[in-house]
Amino acid sequence: MAAMIGRIWGAFNPPATPKSKDALRFGILGAANIAPLALLGPAKTHPEIIIQAVAARDRTKAEKFAKANSIPEVKNSYQDVLDDSNIDCVFIPLANSLHFEWAVRSIRAGKHVLLEKPSVANATEAEILFNLPELSKHDGPVLLEAFHNRFYPAWSFFRSIINPTDVVHVSSNSMIPWWGTGKDDIHFNYDLAGGTMMAMGTYNFAALRMAFDADPEECLSCDVTPGTEGVHEKCDYDFTARFRFPNGAIGEAHSTLKGPTIWTPSHVTATHRAVVVPDELLSADLEKVQSREVTLHGIIHGIFWHRIDVKDVFEIRSKDDGSVIRKWTEQKSHKAYSFDEAGGEFADLPGETSWMSYRYMLEQFVNRVRGRETQHWVSGQDSIAQMKMLDMAYEKSGLGVRPTSEYAATVA
């Protein structure tokens, strides 16, 4: 308990870090509630990041936000942020429906972009955005979908102890209690590309893709509870989706934004097929078979709490008739709040136990902007595949994909 308190205290009360003379200056488009957690806090401990400016539709709101977060400049509009040559990077935490337009505008203004997930409203927008010619230039802007949890050490460790080619089933669950959301939240606004799959489900879908290291071939089913009136219509409050992956593997995902009163941690479980493993101590007529199940609890905000459970079931079988001579189970649990704790190939990667997943992501974002090596990344093609999976599920659900921005028609 003491370690957890110290870790979380350090995450939310980071020490001031001196900034380098050539630090990258960020502008924020929108005074969004997620910005302090996703960027402002992590930036405090990065010597190469300065939060320079913010803009919001309501200047008064932007001014209050800037004052509360010690941001030196307030711009009159999003475009004013992009027109400022002193701004190197932008963070876009706007409603999903606005991601595409302002990401395109930012890139064409020469800014590096950290884009809140989901990256856009649908795969049509993703194909256009991530294939912009500006991104393929040698010195072009960097664009990253801010899938922060994928940069956390626990995820790296989880993936290192599963073998995607042997995984036959993956399930992933998440939830937000009913009291954590309100009817008028942007998550429940179809016009703003809302829905539970867009909000929480995108984490679960990504978990399936990462565990299989593959993209789904088909959405077999997607059951939803939708809103029934106005902007809430066609917005899913909860969903349960089932996908077919290569070689007949099955992935299942569930999430809700109207869950039970008591919050339960998110998780992903990868189940492997039984495989023969070497054992030199066995006689020639016997073989050793292993079945593995790995669960990562706490797939989204691992710093608060997570645990990686490994369950291995072993059998000694006769090669002649397949009869089981002996069977036993071995179970272990692991934690990885830093890459040092993850160990092995990750041991020397940078990080502290007080770093949130956002801070690990920011480290890689800056490295990519600076032209340095990045150990983890979410590529444009990865982000496109993620949106295709979301579209696949929405189409199967009968709600239809989220609407494409009118701005897309203007992008040549």
Side-chain angles (χ1 to χ4, degrees):
M1 179 63 72
M4 181 180 71
I5 293 173
R7 187 174 64 247
I8 296 173
W9 173 264
F12 286 94
N13 299 274
T17 300
K19 304 298 182 180
S20 61
K21 293 181 180 180
D22 63 343
L24 299 168
R25 296 182 182 273
F26 257 93
I28 303 175
L29 306 189
N33 292 335
I34 191 63
L37 187 70
L39 180 62
L40 299 176
K44 291 179 180 178
T45 62
H46 202 300
E48 296 179 80
I49 292 292
I50 292 173
I51 309 302
Q52 185 65 32
V54 64
R57 289 175 297 170
D58 181 343
R59 183 180 172 90
T60 299
K61 182 179 180 181
E63 289 173 346
K64 290 180 179 179
F65 185 87
K67 183 177 181 180
N69 295 286
S70 302
I71 300 174
E73 291 186 67
V74 175
K75 301 291 188 180
N76 288 323
S77 68
Y78 302 152
Q79 189 60 48
D80 284 348
V81 174
L82 305 186
D83 291 340
D84 187 345
S85 60
N86 194 41
I87 299 295
D88 304 295
C89 313
V90 295
F91 176 50
I92 304 178
L94 301 169
N96 298 334
S97 61
L98 299 175
H99 286 190
F100 174 81
E101 176 177 352
W102 287 102
V104 172
R105 290 183 183 274
S106 299
I107 289 165
R108 292 192 163 169
K111 310 302 183 186
H112 304 292
V113 178
L114 186 59
L115 179 61
E116 256 301 317
K117 38 73 35 199
S119 59
V120 286
N122 56 49
T124 297
E125 291 185 352
E127 291 276 10
I128 299 171
L129 174 61
F130 291 99
N131 287 305
L132 286 175
E134 289 86 349
L135 298 175
S136 62
K137 295 180 179 179
H138 175 69
D139 58 349
V142 168
L143 170 61
L144 174 64
E145 181 179 12
F147 248 118
H148 61 96
N149 66 316
R150 295 174 58 169
F151 293 82
Y152 200 66
W155 261 107
S156 295
F157 184 83
F158 170 79
R159 297 186 74 188
S160 74
I161 56 175
I162 63 175
N163 184 355
T165 59
D166 291 329
V167 173
V168 294
H169 184 271
V170 179
S171 63
S172 181
N173 288 265
S174 63
M175 63 87 78
I176 297 292
W178 61 268
W179 47 262
T181 59
K183 183 178 180 181
D184 295 326
D185 286 358
I186 60 174
H187 301 307
F188 303 129
N189 189 319
Y190 175 76
D191 295 335
L192 298 179
T196 296
M197 280 187 271
M198 299 290 282
M200 294 293 288
T202 192
Y203 287 112
N204 302 113
F205 289 178
L208 301 188
R209 293 179 55 244
M210 292 172 72
F212 284 120
D213 195 22
D215 298 320
E217 297 176 338
E218 181 185 3
C219 181
L220 300 172
S221 63
C222 186
D223 300 320
V224 298
T225 303
T228 58
E229 59 182 21
V231 296
H232 308 300
E233 190 176 5
K234 297 183 181 179
C235 273
D236 47 310
Y237 285 76
D238 59 50
F239 76 90
T240 299
R242 193 165 185 263
F243 298 89
R244 177 171 53 82
F245 280 79
N247 301 315
I250 297 296
E252 297 179 285
H254 170 76
S255 187
T256 178
L257 292 179
K258 293 291 184 181
T261 300
I262 299 176
W263 173 82
T264 54
S266 56
H267 72 267
V268 57
T269 298
T271 302
H272 296 66
R273 65 181 177 89
V275 295
V276 176
V277 294
D279 190 331
E280 297 178 353
L281 299 179
L282 293 179
S283 59
D285 61 332
L286 298 177
E287 63 183 6
K288 185 177 183 180
V289 178
Q290 176 188 26
S291 300
R292 168 166 284 193
E293 181 182 276
V294 184
T295 299
L296 170 57
H297 304 272
I299 68 173
I300 300 174
H301 294 293
I303 189 171
F304 295 104
W305 176 85
H306 72 266
R307 191 179 70 226
I308 303 149
D309 293 334
V310 183
K311 178 182 178 181
D312 287 319
V313 177
F314 294 97
E315 293 181 348
I316 303 300
R317 297 178 182 174
S318 167
K319 290 183 179 180
D320 294 332
D321 59 11
S323 59
V324 178
I325 310 301
R326 181 188 172 204
K327 182 177 181 179
W328 72 97
T329 299
E330 296 180 3
Q331 299 186 70
K332 296 180 180 179
S333 293
H334 308 267
K335 294 185 179 181
Y337 291 102
S338 67
F339 284 115
D340 180 56
E341 288 185 353
E345 63 185 293
F346 311 112
D348 295 329
L349 297 180
E352 304 289 341
T353 57
S354 60
W355 281 17
M356 300 185 75
S357 52
Y358 296 105
R359 179 60 178 83
Y360 282 101
M361 177 179 67
L362 191 61
E363 185 80 7
Q364 300 302 309
F365 181 80
V366 172
N367 286 346
R368 182 61 64 98
V369 171
R370 295 297 198 193
R372 300 191 289 254
E373 181 183 0
T374 50
Q375 290 79 28
H376 303 93
W377 196 249
V378 181
S379 70
Q381 292 307 306
D382 193 333
S383 292
I384 292 171
Q386 180 72 10
M387 291 312 304
K388 286 182 177 179
M389 187 176 185
L390 282 162
D391 283 4
M392 188 184 292
Y394 271 117
E395 288 172 348
K396 193 68 175 181
S397 74
L399 298 181
V401 301
R402 308 297 86 177
T404 299
S405 167
E406 294 180 1
Y407 186 75
T410 71
V411 180

